[in-house]
Amino acid sequence: EVEPNASIAGTPHGWKLSGTLPDKDGVSLLQTVNGEIGVNLDVVDVFGMRLGTTTIVARARDGKIEIDPIDATLNSGRLHLEPTVITDKQGITWLHFGPTSALMDAVVNEEVSQRVLSYAASALYQATRVRGRVSLSLNEAFIPIAAGPDVQARIDGDILFDSVEFMPGPFLDQLIGLFKQERRPLLVLHDPVSIRIVGRMIYQEGLIIPLGTVAAIGIEGAVDFDQNIDLVASFAFAPPRKEVPVLSDLLANTQIQVPIKGT
């Protein structure tokens, strides 16, 4: 539903099962059989992000499903996942990831910035000459496995930008166009952006874009997977290097906020 161009290819991993077939109504196969099954992933390409070769193994033990930790590369970054399968009091089954799951130093390019990062850092929408690395630190993520259509995924974490350089696209050009500049600047992102995903909506907070020594633009709000936006841009002006009566205090304490809606 989110990425129709995703591609996955692999081969079966060795599997084994032991136990008895259930002989009573209401007893599931999972309750009477132990074993493991897996897949060797050769190619995974989602949103332009490419996963290195890895193996995923799931085990059935005493009526519960366990998934082995996953170690792989994602766009040349180190990916470590520790998935668990949990069932809540409402009977909904979730794939859960906690703080031990993370991505470190993944390479960023124009395809990844446009198809993935622009949803979490809208300043990268239609940006060019993008280069740098990003990391993802998770607080928690819940992905529904067996649930009704109204049950939504929930993801909470931080995207850490490691000197991601880019030339702004038309969206950001309109914002920085308020400042007189001789040429379009090459911008750099350093700060972490907090993201929260609920269903098809991505909430972002903490994005700050420095404009040299002139000012800084902060952008926060929400973007959905249909590219509808509900954002606020905050402009903070840098005071002059030399103390100027009244003006220095005025610039240091002035912030202008502009709502941005549309697509």
Side-chain angles (χ1 to χ4, degrees):
E1 294 181 6
V2 175
E3 166 56 319
N5 297 318
S7 60
I8 300 175
T11 57
H13 183 71
W15 60 273
K16 59 184 178 182
L17 298 173
S18 63
T20 61
L21 296 177
D23 57 1
K24 295 180 180 180
D25 293 338
V27 177
S28 69
L29 187 65
L30 187 62
Q31 293 174 291
T32 61
V33 172
N34 292 335
E36 67 179 54
I37 190 170
V39 60
N40 301 313
L41 292 175
D42 299 321
V43 176
V44 177
D45 189 332
V46 182
F47 293 113
M49 299 185 297
R50 294 168 180 84
L51 183 74
T53 301
T54 190
T55 299
I56 298 177
V57 177
R59 307 176 191 275
R61 291 177 179 170
D62 302 323
K64 297 181 179 180
I65 297 177
E66 300 175 355
I67 302 176
D68 287 357
I70 301 168
D71 287 288
T73 60
L74 184 68
N75 278 29
S76 301
R78 301 186 306 278
L79 178 67
H80 177 75
L81 300 176
E82 295 189 13
T84 58
V85 179
I86 61 175
T87 302
D88 63 20
K89 295 179 180 179
Q90 287 73 40
I92 300 173
T93 301
W94 303 85
L95 186 62
H96 173 257
F97 299 92
T100 54
S101 297
L103 171 65
M104 297 294 293
D105 298 326
V107 173
V108 177
N109 53 35
E110 287 187 24
E111 182 180 15
V112 172
S113 68
Q114 176 65 25
R115 302 183 66 196
V116 181
L117 292 178
S118 62
Y119 288 92
S122 48
L124 292 172
Y125 180 67
Q126 293 186 339
T128 58
R129 293 169 56 185
V130 183
R131 64 179 183 180
R133 291 180 179 266
V134 297
S135 300
L136 173 62
S137 173
L138 273 181
N139 295 325
E140 277 193 312
F142 292 89
I143 313 296
I145 298 177
D150 296 331
V151 178
Q152 298 180 329
R154 305 192 306 271
I155 301 173
D156 191 303
D158 296 303
I159 295 178
L160 312 174
F161 292 92
D162 184 2
S163 299
V164 174
E165 299 180 348
F166 65 100
M167 290 295 291
F171 169 74
L172 192 55
D173 255 348
Q174 295 181 57
L175 298 180
I176 64 178
L178 296 173
F179 304 92
K180 298 290 185 181
Q181 298 182 79
E182 296 181 359
R183 58 185 178 86
R184 296 174 69 206
L186 181 67
L187 302 179
V188 183
L189 297 181
H190 296 285
D191 300 309
V193 175
S194 297
I195 61 168
R196 183 167 53 91
I197 302 175
V198 180
R200 296 176 60 85
M201 187 71 71
I202 303 175
Y203 301 89
Q204 54 184 274
E205 182 180 3
L207 176 63
I208 299 175
I209 306 149
L211 299 178
T213 59
V214 177
I217 301 176
I219 300 177
E220 62 182 41
V223 179
D224 67 18
F225 287 122
D226 297 317
Q227 297 187 348
N228 298 301
I229 61 175
D230 185 4
L231 302 169
V232 174
S234 301
F235 298 84
F237 301 89
R241 293 181 180 178
K242 293 184 178 180
E243 184 70 21
V244 179
V246 181
L247 179 61
S248 293
D249 289 339
L250 181 64
L251 292 178
N253 296 286
T254 297
Q255 189 178 81
I256 300 173
Q257 293 188 329
V258 179
I260 306 171
K261 298 180 182 292
T263 59

